[in-house]
């Protein structure tokens, strides 16, 4: 079984914990292991915080899309801001204390199994996509439905 959902959120600080709680609720209902759910929720919080802080532009909203296919969860956060410089696909190999700003993107990389940083074609705006291999609780609803 697979599930997919998408949220359009206002670019304001209150949207970050809302996105996190919705993800945690979905993961709990599906039966995802608590530690994995927590890691995903922290990574999502960081991606949303970046969209809120840097995602200005033509729109005052940003989008969160999440899906579970088999044992993989993919989360994508898209905004309408200036995007990443030069369409950067990965973070520079610099010491974290030398990078400007926060540590959110580094934290996402540490918590996820695969991360992609890019820009929307044409219109600009950052796209942060990360994947995480899921572990399941014994009572997992998605495992019973398969």
């Amino acid at each position: 079984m697979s599930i997919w959902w998408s949220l359009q959120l206002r670019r304001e600080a209150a949207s970050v914990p809302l996105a996190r709680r919705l993800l945690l609720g979905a993961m709990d209902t599906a039966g995802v292991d608590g530690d994995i759910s927590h890691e995903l929720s922290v990574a999502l919080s960081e991606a949303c915080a970046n969209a809120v802080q840097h995602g200005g532009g033509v729109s005052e909203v940003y989008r969160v899309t999440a899906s579970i296919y088999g044992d993989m969860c993919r989360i994508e956060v898209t905004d309408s801001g200036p995007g990443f410089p030069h369409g950067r696909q990965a973070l520079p190999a610099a010491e974290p204390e030398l990078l400007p700003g926060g540590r959110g993107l580094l934290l996402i990389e540490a918590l996820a199994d695969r991360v992609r940083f890019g820009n929307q074609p044409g219109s600009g705006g950052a796209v942060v996509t990360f994947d995480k291999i899921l572990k399941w609780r014994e009572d997992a609803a998605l495992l019973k439905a398969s």
Side-chain angles (χ1 to χ4, degrees), residues 15 30 66 87:
S15 70

Side-chain angles (χ1 to χ4, degrees), residues 24-101:
L24 284 170
M27 295 290 120
D28 183 53
T29 301
V32 174
D33 173 79
D35 290 338
I36 297 295
S37 295
H38 177 73
E39 290 174 1
L40 279 168
S41 72
V42 172
L44 175 63
S45 295
E46 294 298 332
C48 290
N50 281 337
V52 168
Q53 183 176 2
H54 305 292
V58 297
S59 177
E60 286 301 312
V61 298
Y62 67 100
R63 183 174 303 258
V64 175
T65 303
S67 60
I68 296 175
Y69 293 103
D71 288 341
M72 181 68 66
C73 178
R74 172 169 289 168
I75 297 175
E76 182 174 278
V77 178
T78 306
D79 65 44
S80 63
F84 292 103
H86 309 293
R88 181 174 64 194
Q89 297 300 310
L91 293 176
E95 294 298 317
E97 59 272 4
L98 300 178
L99 294 173

Side-chain angles (χ1 to χ4, degrees), residues 76-136:
E76 182 174 278
V77 178
T78 306
D79 65 44
S80 63
F84 292 103
H86 309 293
R88 181 174 64 194
Q89 297 300 310
L91 293 176
E95 294 298 317
E97 59 272 4
L98 300 178
L99 294 173
R103 308 291 181 261
L105 298 180
L106 291 170
L107 189 54
I108 295 168
E109 282 192 320
L111 293 170
D113 294 316
R114 180 176 180 208
V115 181
R116 288 167 309 287
F117 303 105
N119 295 327
Q120 295 186 62
S123 64
V127 180
V128 176
T129 305
F130 53 96
D131 299 335
K132 182 86 172 163
I133 297 171
L134 300 176
K135 294 179 186 171
W136 303 94

Side-chain angles (χ1 to χ4, degrees), residues 6-25:
S6 185
L7 306 168
Q8 182 171 296
L9 300 164
R10 292 192 55 76
R11 269 190 50 246
E12 54 192 41
S15 70
V16 177
L18 173 62
R20 183 179 178 140
R21 284 192 302 270
L22 289 170
L23 176 70
L24 284 170

